[in-house]
Amino acid sequence: MPKLFIVATPIGNLKDITLRALETLQAVDYILAENTYKAKNLLSFYNIKKPVINYFQGSGKTTRAKIFDLLKQGKNIALISEAGTPGISDPGNELIAEVIEKFGDKVEIIPIPGPSALTTIASIAGIPMQKFLFLGFVPKRKQKKFFQEIVNSKYPVIFFESPYRIIKTLEKIQELEPDLKVVVARELTKKFETIYRGTLKEVINSIRQDKIKGEFVVIVHRV
Ligand code: SAM
């Protein structure tokens, strides 16, 4: 039975990959990659030579037809996203849904777990994380509703943000509820990894003083 492996890859440091992920990438016939440049970088670091097919959310019918054709031929395929775990604000689920619809249980869907910016920040939160709300990216539209959801939550809220908007976003939350606290992680597992903790005011000031670059993930909390 053909297999579709959903493989988590590093969120920065290339050594953050499981042995099983490497074995899987080594063993499959094809690798579907959201970002072929990053995929090739990772694969060459581990000396893995495999055909890579560009697959991203919204990939056209031709690409999807090619993937379904390969599965029909009995090929094993691995899906990787640009970084971290596919399906977490990344492509994966729409392909899985289509594979289930087309093939039912004739294609095995196998998760190969590993890093994610979501679980990485949760792991260093330093506050109770038995329950939390994950909201993905700050949307470009309907932001009011998004920020309201954050301040109304009785659980810590995790979201992703870009370096261009991080300060504005924290300021908007501060306007709604100045007493909330945050953990902001920049460039997790990378050279310039920085963790900011404190009140919104303190963290906004610290981020302002640093050069605002890199990728951010945020926890807003009350404790
Ligand atoms: N599926 C990915 C995962 O499991 O980590 C998340 C994909 S989402 C498209 C990318 C966003 O995750 C970035 O814009 C950033 O907000 C966050 N992110 C990814 N890598 C990160 C890192 N090394 N440090 C901080 N945030 C990161």
Side-chain angles (χ1 to χ4, degrees), residues 10-14 16 38 82-83 120 186-194 213-216:
I11 58 167
N13 191 318
L14 290 183
D16 290 332
K38 284 213 165 173
E82 184 170 331
T120 306
R186 180 182 75 145
E187 294 285 86
L188 285 164
T189 78
K190 303 186 201 175
K191 190 173 172 195
F192 295 107
E193 178 179 271
T194 318
K213 267 194 182 159
E215 300 189 283
F216 287 86

Side-chain angles (χ1 to χ4, degrees), residues 46-67:
Y46 287 104
N47 205 16
I48 297 172
K49 295 183 181 85
K50 287 286 155 178
V52 172
I53 300 170
N54 187 210
Y55 173 79
F56 49 92
Q57 195 146 6
S59 266
K61 265 191 180 162
T62 325
T63 308
R64 297 204 317 274
K66 187 173 167 185
I67 296 167

Side-chain angles (χ1 to χ4, degrees), residues 171-200:
E171 282 173 346
K172 281 182 188 161
I173 301 167
Q174 192 186 22
E175 273 166 33
L176 292 175
E177 211 175 313
D179 293 339
L180 287 174
K181 292 186 183 150
V182 279
V183 180
V184 176
R186 180 182 75 145
E187 294 285 86
L188 285 164
T189 78
K190 303 186 201 175
K191 190 173 172 195
F192 295 107
E193 178 179 271
T194 318
I195 316 287
Y196 304 90
R197 298 173 193 271
T199 61
L200 281 157

Side-chain angles (χ1 to χ4, degrees), residues 36-99:
T36 50
Y37 173 79
K38 284 213 165 173
K40 283 177 183 164
N41 197 30
L42 174 73
L43 296 174
S44 79
F45 188 79
Y46 287 104
N47 205 16
I48 297 172
K49 295 183 181 85
K50 287 286 155 178
V52 172
I53 300 170
N54 187 210
Y55 173 79
F56 49 92
Q57 195 146 6
S59 266
K61 265 191 180 162
T62 325
T63 308
R64 297 204 317 274
K66 187 173 167 185
I67 296 167
F68 301 142
D69 210 42
L70 291 170
L71 289 170
K72 261 183 220 146
Q73 291 170 34
K75 304 288 186 203
N76 292 326
I77 297 177
L79 169 76
I80 62 175
S81 63
E82 184 170 331
T85 302
I88 310 286
S89 298
D90 258 347
N93 283 315
E94 68 299 321
L95 180 69
I96 293 170
E98 247 188 292
V99 167

Side-chain angles (χ1 to χ4, degrees), residues 74-174:
K75 304 288 186 203
N76 292 326
I77 297 177
L79 169 76
I80 62 175
S81 63
E82 184 170 331
T85 302
I88 310 286
S89 298
D90 258 347
N93 283 315
E94 68 299 321
L95 180 69
I96 293 170
E98 247 188 292
V99 167
I100 292 169
E101 194 191 308
K102 280 204 164 26
F103 296 91
D105 55 9
K106 303 263 178 314
V107 170
E108 212 179 329
I109 293 163
I110 302 172
I112 308 291
S116 171
L118 172 63
T119 48
T120 306
I121 192 168
S123 76
I124 51 102
I127 54 164
M129 293 297 288
Q130 289 88 342
K131 295 180 181 182
F132 63 83
L133 177 64
F134 172 57
L135 292 181
F137 277 105
V138 180
K140 296 222 166 77
R141 278 185 244 149
K142 300 207 173 149
Q143 285 199 339
K144 212 170 171 187
K145 196 174 154 219
F146 181 90
F147 291 125
Q148 209 60 54
E149 202 167 358
I150 292 177
V151 299
N152 288 343
S153 174
K154 51 179 179 167
Y155 305 119
V157 181
I158 304 185
F159 63 87
F160 294 148
E161 185 51 296
S162 81
Y164 313 105
R165 299 195 306 176
I166 184 74
I167 289 189
K168 262 217 162 91
T169 288
L170 296 177
E171 282 173 346
K172 281 182 188 161
I173 301 167
Q174 192 186 22

